[in-house]
Amino acid sequence: MTEDLSYRRKPLTPEQRQARDAARRIEAEKAMRDHEEAQKAFYANRERLRTERLAREATTAKADQ
């Protein structure tokens, strides 16, 4: 039996490798920026909700007295 090796990729030229690496770097940087923005939005919303909850609890505590 002979193996079919036609699925193997052709080796990349140095220029293709540099282009691929540059594209990956750009994609990684964008993913990191997106993640950081999502984290900032999450924590800002969390802090806003916490402030609202504390204000609501303070109002309820005053009403109970």
Side-chain angles (χ1 to χ4, degrees):
M1 289 173 83
T2 60
E3 289 186 44
D4 180 20
L5 300 177
S6 62
Y7 66 89
R8 287 195 174 177
R9 296 181 185 161
K10 294 179 183 177
L12 297 176
T13 65
E15 294 81 17
Q16 291 172 324
R17 192 173 290 114
Q18 283 180 335
R20 180 198 61 195
D21 292 346
R24 284 183 179 174
R25 199 173 309 111
I26 290 168
E27 289 176 15
E29 290 170 358
K30 183 184 180 309
M32 289 299 294
R33 278 193 309 273
D34 291 348
H35 176 72
E36 288 172 1
E37 288 174 12
Q39 288 290 76
K40 286 179 184 178
F42 172 82
Y43 285 111
N45 189 48
R46 180 176 174 234
E47 190 61 31
R48 179 186 60 82
L49 293 172
R50 180 178 179 270
T51 303
E52 289 177 6
R53 177 181 52 84
L54 292 174
R56 193 170 48 248
E57 288 175 354
T59 304
T60 305
K62 285 181 184 178
D64 289 341
Q65 291 179 354

